[in-house]
Amino acid sequence: MNHGIDATTLETMPLSEDAVAEYLTDNPDFFLRRRDLLARLTIPHAEQGAVSLVEIQLKRLRERVAELEEDITQLMSLGAKNDRLFRAFAETHQALLRTNQPHDVQKILQTLSAQLQLNVSVCIYHDIAGMTAIPRQAVDQLKNHHFAGRRCYLGRLRRVDAEVVMAQPPELGSFALVPIKGEGKEWGLLSFASADGGHFQPDMDTLFLEQLASHLAILCSQWAQKGESQ
């Protein structure tokens, strides 16, 4: 077991880099006792010439402060982005709560897409006047190819697949596909698309998207029942 190196042992053993490093590690107060030595020691530097240990430590501290400031800036930016997302989706839910017409859904989602700078599409399997219909088989094939057992798909799509859910999908873009389902029944597919191929990533959180899809499922159920009763 290594019990460290004291000054006496250091004087009697061959002086090596490892021995010096171990001694300084075991005696962190060494330079506190030898402040004169700390001020006199210099380290060769390729760009700055000889630099004192104090200057090196200050430089590292400044670099660490800069890194922390950058981390804080990124966290603040992420917080502001999340706040904008929350507000945009909250306003969308409020608008959907106020509507009782299926044809208003696309207008509401167009407002959301403008806020998020994304394309959006809602395709429904069932016959609900005012909403875009899509064959269930086409979506099932798409899900079999891309979902791999996941609730949603986020990533790139081939052009032929993207055109199944969106009339004019962006070239080389990325997509978020979320089934519109609730109470054990699937009504269709909610799709978002970005011209940025890296915008939607598989590890992204889909809570806001799934909540919106669930809200649409409730509306589809209400409108389908209303249509059947007429």
Coordinates of all heavy atoms in Angstrom, one line a residue, residues 119 142 146 156-173 175 193:
N119 N -43.1 22.5 -41.4 CA -44.3 22.1 -42.1 C -45.1 21.1 -41.3 O -44.5 20.3 -40.5 CB -43.9 21.3 -43.4 CG -43.2 22.2 -44.4 OD1 -43.2 23.5 -44.3 ND2 -42.6 21.7 -45.4
L142 N -45.7 2.5 -43.8 CA -44.7 3.5 -43.4 C -44.2 3.2 -42.0 O -43.0 3.2 -41.7 CB -45.3 4.9 -43.5 CG -44.4 6.1 -43.2 CD1 -43.3 6.2 -44.3 CD2 -45.2 7.4 -43.2
H146 N -40.4 2.1 -40.5 CA -39.6 3.2 -39.8 C -39.8 3.2 -38.3 O -38.9 3.6 -37.6 CB -39.9 4.6 -40.3 CG -39.5 4.8 -41.8 ND1 -38.2 4.9 -42.2 CD2 -40.3 4.8 -42.9 CE1 -38.2 5.1 -43.5 NE2 -39.4 5.0 -44.0
R156 N -35.0 11.1 -40.9 CA -35.2 11.4 -42.3 C -36.1 10.3 -43.0 O -36.3 9.2 -42.4 CB -33.8 11.3 -43.1 CG -32.8 12.4 -42.6 CD -31.5 12.3 -43.3 NE -30.6 13.3 -42.9 CZ -30.1 14.3 -43.7 NH1 -30.4 14.3 -45.0 NH2 -29.2 15.1 -43.2
L157 N -36.7 10.7 -44.1 CA -37.5 9.8 -44.9 C -37.1 9.9 -46.4 O -36.7 11.0 -46.8 CB -39.0 10.2 -44.7 CG -39.7 10.0 -43.4 CD1 -41.1 10.6 -43.5 CD2 -39.7 8.5 -43.1
R158 N -37.3 8.8 -47.0 CA -37.2 8.8 -48.5 C -38.3 9.7 -49.1 O -39.4 9.8 -48.5 CB -37.3 7.4 -49.1 CG -36.1 6.5 -48.6 CD -36.4 5.1 -49.3 NE -37.7 4.6 -49.0 CZ -38.3 3.6 -49.7 NH1 -37.7 3.1 -50.7 NH2 -39.5 3.2 -49.3
R159 N -38.1 10.3 -50.2 CA -39.1 11.2 -50.8 C -40.4 10.4 -51.0 O -41.5 11.0 -50.7 CB -38.6 11.6 -52.2 CG -39.5 12.6 -52.9 CD -39.5 14.0 -52.4 NE -40.4 14.8 -53.0 CZ -40.5 16.1 -52.8 NH1 -39.7 16.7 -51.9 NH2 -41.3 16.9 -53.4
V160 N -40.4 9.2 -51.4 CA -41.6 8.4 -51.7 C -42.4 8.2 -50.4 O -43.6 8.2 -50.4 CB -41.3 7.1 -52.4 CG1 -40.4 6.2 -51.5 CG2 -42.5 6.4 -52.8
D161 N -41.7 8.0 -49.3 CA -42.3 7.9 -48.0 C -42.9 9.2 -47.5 O -44.0 9.2 -46.9 CB -41.4 7.3 -47.0 CG -41.0 5.8 -47.3 OD1 -41.9 5.1 -47.9 OD2 -39.9 5.4 -46.9
A162 N -42.1 10.2 -47.6 CA -42.5 11.6 -47.1 C -43.8 12.0 -47.8 O -44.7 12.7 -47.2 CB -41.4 12.6 -47.3
E163 N -43.9 11.7 -49.1 CA -45.1 12.1 -49.9 C -46.4 11.4 -49.5 O -47.5 11.8 -49.9 CB -44.8 11.9 -51.4 CG -43.8 12.9 -51.9 CD -43.5 12.7 -53.4 OE1 -43.8 11.6 -53.9 OE2 -42.9 13.6 -54.0
V164 N -46.2 10.3 -48.7 CA -47.4 9.6 -48.2 C -48.2 10.5 -47.2 O -49.4 10.5 -47.2 CB -47.0 8.3 -47.5 CG1 -48.2 7.7 -46.8 CG2 -46.5 7.3 -48.6
V165 N -47.4 11.3 -46.4 CA -48.1 12.0 -45.3 C -48.0 13.5 -45.6 O -48.7 14.3 -44.8 CB -47.4 11.7 -44.0 CG1 -47.5 10.3 -43.6 CG2 -45.9 12.1 -44.1
M166 N -47.3 14.0 -46.6 CA -47.2 15.4 -46.8 C -47.2 15.7 -48.3 O -46.4 15.1 -49.0 CB -45.9 16.0 -46.1 CG -45.9 17.4 -45.9 SD -44.6 17.9 -44.7 CE -45.3 17.3 -43.2
A167 N -48.0 16.7 -48.7 CA -48.1 17.0 -50.2 C -46.8 17.5 -50.7 O -46.4 17.1 -51.8 CB -49.2 18.0 -50.4
Q168 N -46.1 18.4 -50.0 CA -44.9 19.0 -50.5 C -43.8 18.9 -49.4 O -43.5 19.9 -48.8 CB -45.1 20.4 -51.0 CG -46.0 20.6 -52.2 CD -46.2 22.0 -52.6 OE1 -46.2 22.9 -51.8 NE2 -46.3 22.2 -53.9
P169 N -43.3 17.7 -49.2 CA -42.2 17.6 -48.1 C -40.9 18.3 -48.6 O -40.6 18.4 -49.7 CB -42.0 16.1 -48.0 CG -42.4 15.6 -49.4 CD -43.5 16.5 -49.9
P170 N -40.2 18.8 -47.6 CA -38.9 19.4 -47.9 C -37.9 18.4 -48.4 O -37.9 17.3 -48.0 CB -38.5 20.0 -46.6 CG -39.1 19.2 -45.6 CD -40.4 18.8 -46.1
E171 N -37.1 18.9 -49.4 CA -36.0 18.0 -49.9 C -34.9 17.8 -48.8 O -34.5 18.8 -48.1 CB -35.3 18.7 -51.1 CG -36.2 18.8 -52.3 CD -36.4 17.5 -53.0 OE1 -35.7 16.5 -52.7 OE2 -37.3 17.4 -53.9
L172 N -34.5 16.6 -48.6 CA -33.4 16.2 -47.6 C -33.7 16.7 -46.2 O -32.8 17.1 -45.5 CB -32.1 16.8 -48.1 CG -31.7 16.4 -49.5 CD1 -30.4 17.1 -49.9 CD2 -31.5 14.9 -49.7
G173 N -35.0 16.8 -45.9 CA -35.4 17.3 -44.6 C -35.5 16.1 -43.6 O -35.1 15.0 -43.8
F175 N -38.1 14.5 -40.3 CA -39.6 14.4 -40.0 C -39.9 13.9 -38.6 O -39.0 13.2 -38.0 CB -40.2 13.5 -41.0 CG -40.1 14.0 -42.4 CD1 -38.9 13.8 -43.2 CD2 -41.2 14.6 -43.1 CE1 -38.8 14.2 -44.5 CE2 -41.1 15.1 -44.4 CZ -39.9 14.9 -45.1
A193 N -42.4 18.4 -40.4 CA -41.2 18.3 -41.3 C -40.4 19.6 -41.2 O -40.9 20.7 -41.1 CB -41.6 18.0 -42.7

